[in-house]
Amino acid sequence: MWQVVGQTRAVSLLQHSLERGVLAHAYLFVGPPHVGKMKLALNLAQALNCEAAEPPCGECDSCQKIDLVKHADVQIIGLTYNGNSAEAKLRAEISIDQIRDVQHSANLPPFEGKYKVFIIDGAELLSSEAANCLLKTLEEPIDRVIFILLTTNEQLLPATVVSRCQRVELPPLAASEVEAILNQRGIEPQKAKLVARLCHGCPGWALSAAMDGDLLQQRAERIDRLLDIINADYEERFAYAGQLATEFSQSRGAVQEILNLWVDWWHDLLLVKVGCGDIITNVDLEDRLIDSARGYGLAQIRAVINGIQAAGEQLGQNANPRLVLEVLMLGIPKGKEGTVKYG
Ligand SMILES: [Zn+2]
């Protein structure tokens, strides 16, 4: 009935609360991007408003409208919802005006359903004024109104807001679990195996990557660039650092994704090196990894992983991106093989 993939613990907690009529007025769903937070929130909204005997049925009028985000009593608030998209794209925070609108709407009775549900996507992006405003609403619960806050990083939320919510953690799934789900959905086995590893337990990403070739194409290009850089001279490395720094000013997420991919690559080298090649992430590039691993010592690989992770942390702490990335580029040891070419 619940359509969220995996997350049996979270689902049984919510199911149990629904059955016993002991729902919280506010929930905080915590988990990495694409793990299923929005799906679970919509499922809970369906369960609250479903017209069938065993909610959420997923088929009644109410469930279908919620699935399409067209139900009058279920609202999603975030950077890219509510308001025209051009304006939304410019926004970096969830504003106090958005939360004031929510407060106004929360005080009106449900329009077509049984419960009003407000889903705040990316709650860590609430401006401090917006968070304070929301806190007032959370402190005075309204009958038949439920808030669901979704976040990838609860540390960025005020403790006062967190303490008003029932916390529900959505951990990453095991790769085997994601692979089984993809197989069930008819994805060809080899592709299912690859994206199940690449998604790091987040089935939303795996499903997108399996259905739409762009994500895998982008990953292939990023890996090619990484391998170029490993064999490049300092001049080219500095140029790439500059390019990444510019990209960082436009999209922090994209650069973090590239760094994550780099960590995966070096972590795979480590695994190959210690004879655990069966659990690598980049399963389609095993031969390349085996070949490349010959050129490095374990300590060298560990140092690179530490360097990439440190760079990621420094970027998160607003260090000068160009400087951080240049230091990173300098620290990457050249591959020793250079003899085997792949086309
Ligand atoms: Zn239903």
Side-chain angles (χ1 to χ4, degrees):
M1 295 297 205
W2 294 71
Q3 287 165 333
V4 67
V5 171
Q7 307 303 341
T8 44
R9 218 172 125 226
V11 166
S12 55
L13 172 91
L14 296 172
Q15 180 81 47
H16 191 66
S17 307
L18 276 163
E19 283 165 6
R20 296 183 54 200
V22 289
L23 285 164
H25 287 279
Y27 288 92
L28 177 65
F29 290 179
V30 184
H34 310 295
V35 80
K37 299 185 293 297
M38 180 60 82
K39 194 75 190 170
L40 184 62
L42 289 171
N43 277 175
L44 176 57
Q46 286 175 322
L48 289 163
N49 284 300
C50 181
E51 294 149 21
E54 284 184 38
C57 72
E59 284 166 5
C60 70
D61 196 37
S62 179
C63 282
Q64 289 196 7
K65 275 188 179 172
I66 293 170
D67 197 38
L68 298 168
V69 200
K70 285 188 173 159
H71 194 286
D73 296 315
V74 179
Q75 279 183 37
I76 300 174
I77 300 98
L79 292 187
T80 51
Y81 304 93
N82 275 17
N84 73 59
S85 55
E87 185 203 346
K89 266 183 195 153
L90 295 172
R91 228 177 5 228
E93 290 183 323
I94 299 173
S95 70
I96 186 163
D97 289 340
Q98 286 177 282
I99 300 302
R100 283 201 183 115
D101 287 347
V102 165
Q103 278 179 329
H104 176 75
S105 173
N107 281 298
L108 303 171
F111 183 73
E112 57 175 322
K114 300 176 219 168
Y115 280 87
K116 283 212 159 188
V117 181
F118 296 95
I119 301 168
I120 302 185
D121 188 21
E124 70 278 8
L125 300 169
L126 284 160
S127 72
S128 48
E129 296 86 4
N132 274 326
C133 185
L134 178 66
L135 181 62
K136 289 199 188 82
T137 312
L138 298 181
E139 280 170 346
E140 292 164 19
I142 306 165
D143 196 29
R144 296 195 293 157
V145 173
I146 302 230
F147 283 89
I148 309 172
L149 280 62
L150 317 183
T151 188
T152 52
N153 187 352
E154 62 192 310
Q155 314 281 352
L156 298 177
L157 275 164
T160 44
V161 169
V162 174
S163 71
R164 290 280 159 188
C165 302
Q166 177 168 355
R167 187 176 179 282
V168 180
E169 190 167 343
L170 285 78
L173 276 59
S176 55
E177 206 177 341
V178 179
E179 191 177 336
I181 291 154
L182 294 169
N183 284 327
Q184 275 166 22
R185 298 200 183 189
I187 307 296
E188 56 169 296
Q190 230 175 343
K191 192 185 223 181
K193 185 176 180 185
L194 174 63
V195 296
R197 302 283 179 104
L198 293 176
C199 79
H200 292 290
C202 296
W205 189 92
L207 284 165
S208 305
M211 305 291 188
D212 159 12
D214 287 357
L215 282 171
L216 287 180
Q217 177 63 30
Q218 184 188 52
R219 168 213 171 231
E221 285 163 12
R222 286 172 172 175
I223 295 256
D224 283 346
R225 196 76 184 99
L226 162 64
L227 297 177
D228 282 349
I229 287 300
I230 288 173
N231 293 310
D233 57 22
Y234 287 139
E235 200 179 334
E236 198 182 326
R237 290 179 182 210
F238 279 133
Y240 186 55
Q243 197 186 319
L244 277 184
T246 309
E247 202 170 332
F248 186 74
S249 66
Q250 289 150 2
S251 166
R252 289 176 164 234
V255 174
Q256 196 56 58
E257 279 174 24
I258 291 172
L259 294 184
N260 291 344
L261 180 140
W262 284 33
V263 169
D264 283 349
W265 178 266
W266 290 90
H267 190 244
D268 279 352
L269 288 180
L270 198 67
L271 289 172
V272 166
K273 201 91 193 149
V274 298
C276 296
D278 53 326
I279 53 168
I280 54 172
T281 299
N282 297 288
V283 279
D284 56 335
L285 300 172
E286 193 176 359
D287 292 345
R288 264 199 211 195
L289 284 161
I290 290 170
D291 188 49
S292 183
R294 290 195 195 107
Y296 302 104
L298 278 178
Q300 231 177 349
I301 299 175
R302 276 202 207 97
V304 177
I305 295 173
N306 290 342
I308 304 168
Q309 286 171 336
E313 279 166 29
Q314 286 159 7
L315 289 175
Q317 291 159 1
N318 293 325
N320 179 321
R322 188 164 182 140
L323 201 60
V324 169
L325 292 163
E326 281 180 357
V327 170
L328 174 63
M329 294 300 158
L330 279 176
I332 291 179
K334 255 193 163 178
K336 283 197 191 117
E337 93 287 18
T339 46
V340 186
K341 293 275 177 228
Y342 296 87

